[in-house]
Amino acid sequence: AAIATAVWHGDTLYVSGQVPDPVKPAAQGAPAVYAPDTRTQSENVFRKIEGILKEQGLGMGDVVMMHVYLVGDPAMGGKMDFAGMMSAYTQHFGSAAQPNKPARSTVQVASLVAPGALVEIEVIAVRQK
């Protein structure tokens, strides 16, 4: 890969933007196919981020900042599906099991590097001392 999945600087881990895994990988000139909705794609991305953090000895409770990039959903007339992303987000943040709610920005973008992906999320996590 041309970029690192995550980079440590002191006690801070910077996790590169993660897009969902395709439900059908690209093959013979055909593009990859992704789940058709923001909620399903977001859930996949949050699980990927959780795995990356776990590999580094961290968890979702260590996330201090999050940047969410949403593409307009064709099923919603090109508007971002903020509610769909939030439905997945609340499964991982702000719950009784994991009460942490990081600082966050969420923006709609024209497109992502992976055609068909509706969401990309990057996080910054800090190791507790």
Side-chain angles (χ1 to χ4, degrees), residues 5-6 13 15-19 21 41-56 58-60 63 65-68 92-93 119-125:
T5 301
L13 182 69
V15 179
S16 293
Q18 299 296 309
V19 295
D21 294 318
Q41 289 193 21
S42 297
E43 178 58 36
N44 179 258
V45 172
F46 284 123
R47 281 196 312 268
K48 284 176 72 174
I49 289 169
E50 198 166 34
I52 292 164
L53 292 170
K54 187 175 181 182
E55 286 174 4
Q56 298 297 323
L58 300 174
M60 295 300 227
V63 175
M65 184 68 189
M66 177 182 298
H67 300 122
V68 180
H92 298 273
F93 295 94
V119 60
E120 180 170 342
I121 301 171
E122 63 185 48
V123 300
I124 300 168

PDB file of all heavy atoms in Angstrom, residues 5-6 13 15-19 21 41-56 58-60 63 65-68 92-93 119-125:
ATOM      1  N   THR A   5      -1.520   2.215   7.249  1.00  0.00           N
ATOM      2  CA  THR A   5      -2.862   2.067   7.811  1.00  0.00           C
ATOM      3  C   THR A   5      -3.000   2.952   9.046  1.00  0.00           C
ATOM      4  O   THR A   5      -4.033   3.585   9.250  1.00  0.00           O
ATOM      5  CB  THR A   5      -3.130   0.598   8.179  1.00  0.00           C
ATOM      6  OG1 THR A   5      -3.005  -0.187   6.993  1.00  0.00           O
ATOM      7  CG2 THR A   5      -4.515   0.407   8.763  1.00  0.00           C
ATOM      8  N   ALA A   6      -1.930   2.991   9.849  1.00  0.00           N
ATOM      9  CA  ALA A   6      -1.936   3.803  11.065  1.00  0.00           C
ATOM     10  C   ALA A   6      -0.499   4.151  11.417  1.00  0.00           C
ATOM     11  O   ALA A   6       0.417   3.380  11.135  1.00  0.00           O
ATOM     12  CB  ALA A   6      -2.604   3.055  12.205  1.00  0.00           C
ATOM     13  N   LEU A  13      -2.171   7.665  18.060  1.00  0.00           N
ATOM     14  CA  LEU A  13      -2.247   6.839  16.863  1.00  0.00           C
ATOM     15  C   LEU A  13      -3.158   7.527  15.850  1.00  0.00           C
ATOM     16  O   LEU A  13      -4.322   7.826  16.156  1.00  0.00           O
ATOM     17  CB  LEU A  13      -2.807   5.444  17.184  1.00  0.00           C
ATOM     18  CG  LEU A  13      -2.877   4.475  16.001  1.00  0.00           C
ATOM     19  CD1 LEU A  13      -1.476   4.054  15.557  1.00  0.00           C
ATOM     20  CD2 LEU A  13      -3.724   3.263  16.342  1.00  0.00           C
ATOM     21  N   VAL A  15      -5.048   7.005  12.475  1.00  0.00           N
ATOM     22  CA  VAL A  15      -5.517   5.929  11.597  1.00  0.00           C
ATOM     23  C   VAL A  15      -5.978   6.548  10.283  1.00  0.00           C
ATOM     24  O   VAL A  15      -6.844   7.433  10.269  1.00  0.00           O
ATOM     25  CB  VAL A  15      -6.669   5.136  12.253  1.00  0.00           C
ATOM     26  CG1 VAL A  15      -7.158   4.031  11.320  1.00  0.00           C
ATOM     27  CG2 VAL A  15      -6.212   4.547  13.591  1.00  0.00           C
ATOM     28  N   SER A  16      -5.385   6.086   9.186  1.00  0.00           N
ATOM     29  CA  SER A  16      -5.752   6.579   7.858  1.00  0.00           C
ATOM     30  C   SER A  16      -7.223   6.322   7.581  1.00  0.00           C
ATOM     31  O   SER A  16      -7.840   5.416   8.155  1.00  0.00           O
ATOM     32  CB  SER A  16      -4.921   5.872   6.781  1.00  0.00           C
ATOM     33  OG  SER A  16      -3.566   6.233   6.883  1.00  0.00           O
ATOM     34  N   GLY A  17      -7.774   7.107   6.669  1.00  0.00           N
ATOM     35  CA  GLY A  17      -9.168   6.952   6.274  1.00  0.00           C
ATOM     36  C   GLY A  17      -9.455   5.531   5.811  1.00  0.00           C
ATOM     37  O   GLY A  17      -8.703   4.961   5.022  1.00  0.00           O
ATOM     38  N   GLN A  18     -10.530   4.966   6.341  1.00  0.00           N
ATOM     39  CA  GLN A  18     -10.936   3.604   6.002  1.00  0.00           C
ATOM     40  C   GLN A  18     -12.241   3.651   5.218  1.00  0.00           C
ATOM     41  O   GLN A  18     -13.172   4.365   5.597  1.00  0.00           O
ATOM     42  CB  GLN A  18     -11.129   2.770   7.273  1.00  0.00           C
ATOM     43  CG  GLN A  18      -9.879   2.635   8.122  1.00  0.00           C
ATOM     44  CD  GLN A  18      -8.774   1.889   7.400  1.00  0.00           C
ATOM     45  OE1 GLN A  18      -8.996   0.793   6.875  1.00  0.00           O
ATOM     46  NE2 GLN A  18      -7.599   2.478   7.349  1.00  0.00           N
ATOM     47  N   VAL A  19     -12.278   2.902   4.124  1.00  0.00           N
ATOM     48  CA  VAL A  19     -13.504   2.750   3.342  1.00  0.00           C
ATOM     49  C   VAL A  19     -14.007   1.334   3.563  1.00  0.00           C
ATOM     50  O   VAL A  19     -13.255   0.464   4.019  1.00  0.00           O
ATOM     51  CB  VAL A  19     -13.273   3.035   1.837  1.00  0.00           C
ATOM     52  CG1 VAL A  19     -12.890   4.489   1.619  1.00  0.00           C
ATOM     53  CG2 VAL A  19     -12.235   2.111   1.244  1.00  0.00           C
ATOM     54  N   ASP A  21     -15.171  -2.543   3.009  1.00  0.00           N
ATOM     55  CA  ASP A  21     -14.739  -3.645   2.154  1.00  0.00           C
ATOM     56  C   ASP A  21     -15.822  -3.861   1.100  1.00  0.00           C
ATOM     57  O   ASP A  21     -17.013  -3.806   1.430  1.00  0.00           O
ATOM     58  CB  ASP A  21     -14.570  -4.931   2.974  1.00  0.00           C
ATOM     59  CG  ASP A  21     -13.437  -4.831   3.980  1.00  0.00           C
ATOM     60  OD1 ASP A  21     -12.371  -4.289   3.621  1.00  0.00           O
ATOM     61  OD2 ASP A  21     -13.633  -5.282   5.121  1.00  0.00           O
ATOM     62  N   GLN A  41     -22.383   0.243   5.043  1.00  0.00           N
ATOM     63  CA  GLN A  41     -20.981   0.579   4.775  1.00  0.00           C
ATOM     64  C   GLN A  41     -20.321   1.158   6.018  1.00  0.00           C
ATOM     65  O   GLN A  41     -19.178   0.817   6.346  1.00  0.00           O
ATOM     66  CB  GLN A  41     -20.874   1.568   3.615  1.00  0.00           C
ATOM     67  CG  GLN A  41     -21.199   0.964   2.266  1.00  0.00           C
ATOM     68  CD  GLN A  41     -20.790   1.866   1.115  1.00  0.00           C
ATOM     69  OE1 GLN A  41     -19.946   2.738   1.262  1.00  0.00           O
ATOM     70  NE2 GLN A  41     -21.385   1.637  -0.046  1.00  0.00           N
ATOM     71  N   SER A  42     -21.016   2.025   6.752  1.00  0.00           N
ATOM     72  CA  SER A  42     -20.449   2.631   7.966  1.00  0.00           C
ATOM     73  C   SER A  42     -20.167   1.572   9.017  1.00  0.00           C
ATOM     74  O   SER A  42     -19.114   1.599   9.667  1.00  0.00           O
ATOM     75  CB  SER A  42     -21.402   3.695   8.532  1.00  0.00           C
ATOM     76  OG  SER A  42     -21.567   4.757   7.627  1.00  0.00           O
ATOM     77  N   GLU A  43     -21.077   0.633   9.191  1.00  0.00           N
ATOM     78  CA  GLU A  43     -20.877  -0.442  10.168  1.00  0.00           C
ATOM     79  C   GLU A  43     -19.608  -1.217   9.820  1.00  0.00           C
ATOM     80  O   GLU A  43     -18.797  -1.538  10.688  1.00  0.00           O
ATOM     81  CB  GLU A  43     -22.094  -1.364  10.209  1.00  0.00           C
ATOM     82  CG  GLU A  43     -21.946  -2.539  11.162  1.00  0.00           C
ATOM     83  CD  GLU A  43     -21.660  -2.143  12.609  1.00  0.00           C
ATOM     84  OE1 GLU A  43     -22.191  -1.123  13.088  1.00  0.00           O
ATOM     85  OE2 GLU A  43     -20.882  -2.861  13.262  1.00  0.00           O
ATOM     86  N   ASN A  44     -19.405  -1.502   8.533  1.00  0.00           N
ATOM     87  CA  ASN A  44     -18.211  -2.213   8.092  1.00  0.00           C
ATOM     88  C   ASN A  44     -16.954  -1.399   8.413  1.00  0.00           C
ATOM     89  O   ASN A  44     -15.960  -1.943   8.912  1.00  0.00           O
ATOM     90  CB  ASN A  44     -18.302  -2.510   6.589  1.00  0.00           C
ATOM     91  CG  ASN A  44     -17.080  -3.233   6.064  1.00  0.00           C
ATOM     92  OD1 ASN A  44     -16.219  -2.621   5.442  1.00  0.00           O
ATOM     93  ND2 ASN A  44     -17.003  -4.530   6.312  1.00  0.00           N
ATOM     94  N   VAL A  45     -17.000  -0.091   8.167  1.00  0.00           N
ATOM     95  CA  VAL A  45     -15.838   0.768   8.440  1.00  0.00           C
ATOM     96  C   VAL A  45     -15.544   0.827   9.937  1.00  0.00           C
ATOM     97  O   VAL A  45     -14.381   0.720  10.346  1.00  0.00           O
ATOM     98  CB  VAL A  45     -16.050   2.178   7.855  1.00  0.00           C
ATOM     99  CG1 VAL A  45     -14.936   3.116   8.304  1.00  0.00           C
ATOM    100  CG2 VAL A  45     -16.111   2.120   6.334  1.00  0.00           C
ATOM    101  N   PHE A  46     -16.578   0.977  10.774  1.00  0.00           N
ATOM    102  CA  PHE A  46     -16.333   1.018  12.217  1.00  0.00           C
ATOM    103  C   PHE A  46     -15.724  -0.296  12.706  1.00  0.00           C
ATOM    104  O   PHE A  46     -14.842  -0.287  13.573  1.00  0.00           O
ATOM    105  CB  PHE A  46     -17.610   1.353  12.997  1.00  0.00           C
ATOM    106  CG  PHE A  46     -17.986   2.814  12.914  1.00  0.00           C
ATOM    107  CD1 PHE A  46     -19.235   3.187  12.441  1.00  0.00           C
ATOM    108  CD2 PHE A  46     -17.104   3.805  13.301  1.00  0.00           C
ATOM    109  CE1 PHE A  46     -19.588   4.527  12.367  1.00  0.00           C
ATOM    110  CE2 PHE A  46     -17.443   5.147  13.219  1.00  0.00           C
ATOM    111  CZ  PHE A  46     -18.694   5.514  12.749  1.00  0.00           C
ATOM    112  N   ARG A  47     -16.163  -1.428  12.172  1.00  0.00           N
ATOM    113  CA  ARG A  47     -15.559  -2.717  12.552  1.00  0.00           C
ATOM    114  C   ARG A  47     -14.097  -2.781  12.114  1.00  0.00           C
ATOM    115  O   ARG A  47     -13.248  -3.294  12.846  1.00  0.00           O
ATOM    116  CB  ARG A  47     -16.357  -3.878  11.955  1.00  0.00           C
ATOM    117  CG  ARG A  47     -17.623  -4.195  12.726  1.00  0.00           C
ATOM    118  CD  ARG A  47     -18.218  -5.561  12.399  1.00  0.00           C
ATOM    119  NE  ARG A  47     -18.335  -5.819  10.988  1.00  0.00           N
ATOM    120  CZ  ARG A  47     -19.414  -5.557  10.239  1.00  0.00           C
ATOM    121  NH1 ARG A  47     -20.481  -5.031  10.788  1.00  0.00           N
ATOM    122  NH2 ARG A  47     -19.416  -5.819   8.952  1.00  0.00           N
ATOM    123  N   LYS A  48     -13.787  -2.262  10.919  1.00  0.00           N
ATOM    124  CA  LYS A  48     -12.393  -2.235  10.463  1.00  0.00           C
ATOM    125  C   LYS A  48     -11.537  -1.376  11.390  1.00  0.00           C
ATOM    126  O   LYS A  48     -10.437  -1.778  11.777  1.00  0.00           O
ATOM    127  CB  LYS A  48     -12.302  -1.671   9.029  1.00  0.00           C
ATOM    128  CG  LYS A  48     -12.722  -2.635   7.955  1.00  0.00           C
ATOM    129  CD  LYS A  48     -12.699  -2.003   6.579  1.00  0.00           C
ATOM    130  CE  LYS A  48     -11.299  -1.759   6.055  1.00  0.00           C
ATOM    131  NZ  LYS A  48     -11.320  -1.273   4.650  1.00  0.00           N
ATOM    132  N   ILE A  49     -12.050  -0.200  11.762  1.00  0.00           N
ATOM    133  CA  ILE A  49     -11.306   0.699  12.652  1.00  0.00           C
ATOM    134  C   ILE A  49     -11.093   0.029  14.001  1.00  0.00           C
ATOM    135  O   ILE A  49      -9.992   0.080  14.566  1.00  0.00           O
ATOM    136  CB  ILE A  49     -12.041   2.051  12.791  1.00  0.00           C
ATOM    137  CG1 ILE A  49     -11.937   2.827  11.471  1.00  0.00           C
ATOM    138  CG2 ILE A  49     -11.491   2.863  13.964  1.00  0.00           C
ATOM    139  CD1 ILE A  49     -12.825   4.057  11.388  1.00  0.00           C
ATOM    140  N   GLU A  50     -12.119  -0.627  14.514  1.00  0.00           N
ATOM    141  CA  GLU A  50     -12.006  -1.339  15.790  1.00  0.00           C
ATOM    142  C   GLU A  50     -10.884  -2.383  15.717  1.00  0.00           C
ATOM    143  O   GLU A  50     -10.094  -2.522  16.649  1.00  0.00           O
ATOM    144  CB  GLU A  50     -13.346  -1.997  16.122  1.00  0.00           C
ATOM    145  CG  GLU A  50     -13.512  -2.393  17.555  1.00  0.00           C
ATOM    146  CD  GLU A  50     -14.968  -2.714  17.891  1.00  0.00           C
ATOM    147  OE1 GLU A  50     -15.690  -3.243  17.019  1.00  0.00           O
ATOM    148  OE2 GLU A  50     -15.360  -2.429  19.031  1.00  0.00           O
ATOM    149  N   GLY A  51     -10.800  -3.092  14.609  1.00  0.00           N
ATOM    150  CA  GLY A  51      -9.753  -4.097  14.422  1.00  0.00           C
ATOM    151  C   GLY A  51      -8.358  -3.492  14.366  1.00  0.00           C
ATOM    152  O   GLY A  51      -7.411  -4.027  14.950  1.00  0.00           O
ATOM    153  N   ILE A  52      -8.231  -2.371  13.660  1.00  0.00           N
ATOM    154  CA  ILE A  52      -6.932  -1.680  13.569  1.00  0.00           C
ATOM    155  C   ILE A  52      -6.503  -1.210  14.949  1.00  0.00           C
ATOM    156  O   ILE A  52      -5.345  -1.382  15.354  1.00  0.00           O
ATOM    157  CB  ILE A  52      -7.030  -0.492  12.582  1.00  0.00           C
ATOM    158  CG1 ILE A  52      -7.215  -1.006  11.157  1.00  0.00           C
ATOM    159  CG2 ILE A  52      -5.802   0.405  12.693  1.00  0.00           C
ATOM    160  CD1 ILE A  52      -7.701   0.048  10.166  1.00  0.00           C
ATOM    161  N   LEU A  53      -7.434  -0.615  15.704  1.00  0.00           N
ATOM    162  CA  LEU A  53      -7.120  -0.149  17.057  1.00  0.00           C
ATOM    163  C   LEU A  53      -6.716  -1.321  17.945  1.00  0.00           C
ATOM    164  O   LEU A  53      -5.737  -1.234  18.701  1.00  0.00           O
ATOM    165  CB  LEU A  53      -8.324   0.586  17.658  1.00  0.00           C
ATOM    166  CG  LEU A  53      -8.695   1.918  17.005  1.00  0.00           C
ATOM    167  CD1 LEU A  53     -10.033   2.406  17.548  1.00  0.00           C
ATOM    168  CD2 LEU A  53      -7.609   2.958  17.210  1.00  0.00           C
ATOM    169  N   LYS A  54      -7.452  -2.427  17.858  1.00  0.00           N
ATOM    170  CA  LYS A  54      -7.161  -3.602  18.699  1.00  0.00           C
ATOM    171  C   LYS A  54      -5.755  -4.129  18.416  1.00  0.00           C
ATOM    172  O   LYS A  54      -5.034  -4.493  19.344  1.00  0.00           O
ATOM    173  CB  LYS A  54      -8.211  -4.689  18.444  1.00  0.00           C
ATOM    174  CG  LYS A  54      -8.101  -5.864  19.385  1.00  0.00           C
ATOM    175  CD  LYS A  54      -9.229  -6.849  19.184  1.00  0.00           C
ATOM    176  CE  LYS A  54      -9.091  -8.009  20.161  1.00  0.00           C
ATOM    177  NZ  LYS A  54     -10.118  -9.015  19.980  1.00  0.00           N
ATOM    178  N   GLU A  55      -5.370  -4.162  17.133  1.00  0.00           N
ATOM    179  CA  GLU A  55      -4.007  -4.614  16.779  1.00  0.00           C
ATOM    180  C   GLU A  55      -2.942  -3.757  17.451  1.00  0.00           C
ATOM    181  O   GLU A  55      -1.828  -4.215  17.675  1.00  0.00           O
ATOM    182  CB  GLU A  55      -3.798  -4.532  15.258  1.00  0.00           C
ATOM    183  CG  GLU A  55      -4.503  -5.592  14.465  1.00  0.00           C
ATOM    184  CD  GLU A  55      -4.363  -5.362  12.952  1.00  0.00           C
ATOM    185  OE1 GLU A  55      -3.656  -4.416  12.540  1.00  0.00           O
ATOM    186  OE2 GLU A  55      -4.983  -6.129  12.203  1.00  0.00           O
ATOM    187  N   GLN A  56      -3.283  -2.511  17.752  1.00  0.00           N
ATOM    188  CA  GLN A  56      -2.332  -1.572  18.362  1.00  0.00           C
ATOM    189  C   GLN A  56      -2.541  -1.451  19.873  1.00  0.00           C
ATOM    190  O   GLN A  56      -1.970  -0.560  20.511  1.00  0.00           O
ATOM    191  CB  GLN A  56      -2.462  -0.193  17.691  1.00  0.00           C
ATOM    192  CG  GLN A  56      -2.136  -0.200  16.211  1.00  0.00           C
ATOM    193  CD  GLN A  56      -0.696  -0.575  15.935  1.00  0.00           C
ATOM    194  OE1 GLN A  56       0.216  -0.213  16.682  1.00  0.00           O
ATOM    195  NE2 GLN A  56      -0.469  -1.314  14.858  1.00  0.00           N
ATOM    196  N   LEU A  58      -5.390  -0.706  21.457  1.00  0.00           N
ATOM    197  CA  LEU A  58      -6.346   0.345  21.785  1.00  0.00           C
ATOM    198  C   LEU A  58      -7.765  -0.124  21.499  1.00  0.00           C
ATOM    199  O   LEU A  58      -7.971  -1.196  20.922  1.00  0.00           O
ATOM    200  CB  LEU A  58      -6.062   1.607  20.950  1.00  0.00           C
ATOM    201  CG  LEU A  58      -4.684   2.257  21.116  1.00  0.00           C
ATOM    202  CD1 LEU A  58      -4.515   3.395  20.131  1.00  0.00           C
ATOM    203  CD2 LEU A  58      -4.478   2.749  22.532  1.00  0.00           C
ATOM    204  N   GLY A  59      -8.724   0.694  21.888  1.00  0.00           N
ATOM    205  CA  GLY A  59     -10.123   0.392  21.607  1.00  0.00           C
ATOM    206  C   GLY A  59     -10.864   1.657  21.222  1.00  0.00           C
ATOM    207  O   GLY A  59     -10.294   2.755  21.215  1.00  0.00           O
ATOM    208  N   MET A  60     -12.161   1.512  20.937  1.00  0.00           N
ATOM    209  CA  MET A  60     -12.968   2.667  20.526  1.00  0.00           C
ATOM    210  C   MET A  60     -13.015   3.736  21.625  1.00  0.00           C
ATOM    211  O   MET A  60     -13.161   4.912  21.335  1.00  0.00           O
ATOM    212  CB  MET A  60     -14.382   2.223  20.160  1.00  0.00           C
ATOM    213  CG  MET A  60     -14.440   1.316  18.935  1.00  0.00           C
ATOM    214  SD  MET A  60     -13.783   2.072  17.434  1.00  0.00           S
ATOM    215  CE  MET A  60     -15.103   1.660  16.285  1.00  0.00           C
ATOM    216  N   VAL A  63     -10.495   6.641  21.114  1.00  0.00           N
ATOM    217  CA  VAL A  63     -10.621   7.576  19.992  1.00  0.00           C
ATOM    218  C   VAL A  63     -10.974   8.958  20.522  1.00  0.00           C
ATOM    219  O   VAL A  63     -11.931   9.120  21.281  1.00  0.00           O
ATOM    220  CB  VAL A  63     -11.689   7.093  18.982  1.00  0.00           C
ATOM    221  CG1 VAL A  63     -11.907   8.129  17.879  1.00  0.00           C
ATOM    222  CG2 VAL A  63     -11.288   5.752  18.393  1.00  0.00           C
ATOM    223  N   MET A  65     -10.672  11.879  18.215  1.00  0.00           N
ATOM    224  CA  MET A  65     -11.109  12.707  17.088  1.00  0.00           C
ATOM    225  C   MET A  65     -11.479  11.807  15.929  1.00  0.00           C
ATOM    226  O   MET A  65     -10.823  10.778  15.701  1.00  0.00           O
ATOM    227  CB  MET A  65      -9.989  13.668  16.663  1.00  0.00           C
ATOM    228  CG  MET A  65     -10.374  14.627  15.563  1.00  0.00           C
ATOM    229  SD  MET A  65     -11.612  15.801  16.172  1.00  0.00           S
ATOM    230  CE  MET A  65     -12.082  16.622  14.672  1.00  0.00           C
ATOM    231  N   MET A  66     -12.524  12.205  15.198  1.00  0.00           N
ATOM    232  CA  MET A  66     -12.986  11.423  14.056  1.00  0.00           C
ATOM    233  C   MET A  66     -13.377  12.377  12.940  1.00  0.00           C
ATOM    234  O   MET A  66     -14.024  13.397  13.192  1.00  0.00           O
ATOM    235  CB  MET A  66     -14.201  10.592  14.481  1.00  0.00           C
ATOM    236  CG  MET A  66     -14.837   9.775  13.391  1.00  0.00           C
ATOM    237  SD  MET A  66     -16.312   8.881  13.981  1.00  0.00           S
ATOM    238  CE  MET A  66     -15.613   7.826  15.239  1.00  0.00           C
ATOM    239  N   HIS A  67     -12.969  12.032  11.718  1.00  0.00           N
ATOM    240  CA  HIS A  67     -13.403  12.768  10.536  1.00  0.00           C
ATOM    241  C   HIS A  67     -14.172  11.796   9.651  1.00  0.00           C
ATOM    242  O   HIS A  67     -13.652  10.728   9.324  1.00  0.00           O
ATOM    243  CB  HIS A  67     -12.204  13.340   9.770  1.00  0.00           C
ATOM    244  CG  HIS A  67     -11.397  14.291  10.588  1.00  0.00           C
ATOM    245  ND1 HIS A  67     -10.056  14.106  10.833  1.00  0.00           N
ATOM    246  CD2 HIS A  67     -11.738  15.418  11.253  1.00  0.00           C
ATOM    247  CE1 HIS A  67      -9.608  15.087  11.596  1.00  0.00           C
ATOM    248  NE2 HIS A  67     -10.615  15.889  11.866  1.00  0.00           N
ATOM    249  N   VAL A  68     -15.403  12.163   9.317  1.00  0.00           N
ATOM    250  CA  VAL A  68     -16.277  11.313   8.513  1.00  0.00           C
ATOM    251  C   VAL A  68     -16.543  12.018   7.186  1.00  0.00           C
ATOM    252  O   VAL A  68     -16.951  13.188   7.169  1.00  0.00           O
ATOM    253  CB  VAL A  68     -17.612  11.046   9.236  1.00  0.00           C
ATOM    254  CG1 VAL A  68     -18.520  10.156   8.394  1.00  0.00           C
ATOM    255  CG2 VAL A  68     -17.373  10.432  10.615  1.00  0.00           C
ATOM    256  N   HIS A  92     -21.228   1.880  18.387  1.00  0.00           N
ATOM    257  CA  HIS A  92     -19.827   1.818  18.826  1.00  0.00           C
ATOM    258  C   HIS A  92     -19.425   2.940  19.777  1.00  0.00           C
ATOM    259  O   HIS A  92     -18.400   2.840  20.447  1.00  0.00           O
ATOM    260  CB  HIS A  92     -18.907   1.854  17.603  1.00  0.00           C
ATOM    261  CG  HIS A  92     -19.110   0.688  16.691  1.00  0.00           C
ATOM    262  ND1 HIS A  92     -18.448  -0.511  16.859  1.00  0.00           N
ATOM    263  CD2 HIS A  92     -19.922   0.517  15.630  1.00  0.00           C
ATOM    264  CE1 HIS A  92     -18.837  -1.354  15.925  1.00  0.00           C
ATOM    265  NE2 HIS A  92     -19.738  -0.756  15.168  1.00  0.00           N
ATOM    266  N   PHE A  93     -20.201   4.030  19.811  1.00  0.00           N
ATOM    267  CA  PHE A  93     -19.847   5.205  20.628  1.00  0.00           C
ATOM    268  C   PHE A  93     -21.071   5.706  21.380  1.00  0.00           C
ATOM    269  O   PHE A  93     -22.183   5.702  20.855  1.00  0.00           O
ATOM    270  CB  PHE A  93     -19.304   6.334  19.745  1.00  0.00           C
ATOM    271  CG  PHE A  93     -18.013   5.990  19.064  1.00  0.00           C
ATOM    272  CD1 PHE A  93     -18.012   5.475  17.776  1.00  0.00           C
ATOM    273  CD2 PHE A  93     -16.799   6.162  19.716  1.00  0.00           C
ATOM    274  CE1 PHE A  93     -16.819   5.139  17.146  1.00  0.00           C
ATOM    275  CE2 PHE A  93     -15.604   5.823  19.095  1.00  0.00           C
ATOM    276  CZ  PHE A  93     -15.613   5.312  17.806  1.00  0.00           C
ATOM    277  N   VAL A 119     -18.805   6.079   2.248  1.00  0.00           N
ATOM    278  CA  VAL A 119     -18.272   6.591   3.513  1.00  0.00           C
ATOM    279  C   VAL A 119     -16.780   6.280   3.635  1.00  0.00           C
ATOM    280  O   VAL A 119     -16.310   5.221   3.206  1.00  0.00           O
ATOM    281  CB  VAL A 119     -19.058   6.009   4.722  1.00  0.00           C
ATOM    282  CG1 VAL A 119     -18.975   4.493   4.763  1.00  0.00           C
ATOM    283  CG2 VAL A 119     -18.576   6.585   6.046  1.00  0.00           C
ATOM    284  N   GLU A 120     -16.047   7.241   4.204  1.00  0.00           N
ATOM    285  CA  GLU A 120     -14.648   7.045   4.598  1.00  0.00           C
ATOM    286  C   GLU A 120     -14.501   7.715   5.958  1.00  0.00           C
ATOM    287  O   GLU A 120     -15.002   8.821   6.163  1.00  0.00           O
ATOM    288  CB  GLU A 120     -13.683   7.675   3.598  1.00  0.00           C
ATOM    289  CG  GLU A 120     -12.227   7.490   3.994  1.00  0.00           C
ATOM    290  CD  GLU A 120     -11.238   7.887   2.894  1.00  0.00           C
ATOM    291  OE1 GLU A 120     -11.624   7.981   1.718  1.00  0.00           O
ATOM    292  OE2 GLU A 120     -10.066   8.098   3.247  1.00  0.00           O
ATOM    293  N   ILE A 121     -13.840   7.012   6.887  1.00  0.00           N
ATOM    294  CA  ILE A 121     -13.686   7.528   8.245  1.00  0.00           C
ATOM    295  C   ILE A 121     -12.234   7.400   8.672  1.00  0.00           C
ATOM    296  O   ILE A 121     -11.613   6.356   8.480  1.00  0.00           O
ATOM    297  CB  ILE A 121     -14.593   6.765   9.247  1.00  0.00           C
ATOM    298  CG1 ILE A 121     -16.066   6.885   8.828  1.00  0.00           C
ATOM    299  CG2 ILE A 121     -14.383   7.283  10.678  1.00  0.00           C
ATOM    300  CD1 ILE A 121     -17.013   6.003   9.607  1.00  0.00           C
ATOM    301  N   GLU A 122     -11.699   8.483   9.251  1.00  0.00           N
ATOM    302  CA  GLU A 122     -10.359   8.441   9.846  1.00  0.00           C
ATOM    303  C   GLU A 122     -10.488   8.834  11.306  1.00  0.00           C
ATOM    304  O   GLU A 122     -11.382   9.605  11.664  1.00  0.00           O
ATOM    305  CB  GLU A 122      -9.389   9.363   9.107  1.00  0.00           C
ATOM    306  CG  GLU A 122      -9.753  10.819   9.156  1.00  0.00           C
ATOM    307  CD  GLU A 122      -8.837  11.697   8.319  1.00  0.00           C
ATOM    308  OE1 GLU A 122      -8.582  11.368   7.155  1.00  0.00           O
ATOM    309  OE2 GLU A 122      -8.384  12.725   8.852  1.00  0.00           O
ATOM    310  N   VAL A 123      -9.623   8.261  12.139  1.00  0.00           N
ATOM    311  CA  VAL A 123      -9.672   8.562  13.569  1.00  0.00           C
ATOM    312  C   VAL A 123      -8.279   8.829  14.118  1.00  0.00           C
ATOM    313  O   VAL A 123      -7.269   8.406  13.548  1.00  0.00           O
ATOM    314  CB  VAL A 123     -10.338   7.420  14.396  1.00  0.00           C
ATOM    315  CG1 VAL A 123     -11.767   7.173  13.948  1.00  0.00           C
ATOM    316  CG2 VAL A 123      -9.523   6.162  14.372  1.00  0.00           C
ATOM    317  N   ILE A 124      -8.281   9.525  15.247  1.00  0.00           N
ATOM    318  CA  ILE A 124      -7.081   9.754  16.037  1.00  0.00           C
ATOM    319  C   ILE A 124      -7.390   9.180  17.420  1.00  0.00           C
ATOM    320  O   ILE A 124      -8.426   9.501  18.008  1.00  0.00           O
ATOM    321  CB  ILE A 124      -6.722  11.242  16.127  1.00  0.00           C
ATOM    322  CG1 ILE A 124      -6.483  11.819  14.724  1.00  0.00           C
ATOM    323  CG2 ILE A 124      -5.499  11.450  17.028  1.00  0.00           C
ATOM    324  CD1 ILE A 124      -6.401  13.340  14.696  1.00  0.00           C
ATOM    325  N   ALA A 125      -6.503   8.320  17.906  1.00  0.00           N
ATOM    326  CA  ALA A 125      -6.696   7.698  19.218  1.00  0.00           C
ATOM    327  C   ALA A 125      -5.465   7.965  20.081  1.00  0.00           C
ATOM    328  O   ALA A 125      -4.352   8.099  19.559  1.00  0.00           O
ATOM    329  CB  ALA A 125      -6.918   6.187  19.061  1.00  0.00           C
TER     330      ALA A 125
END
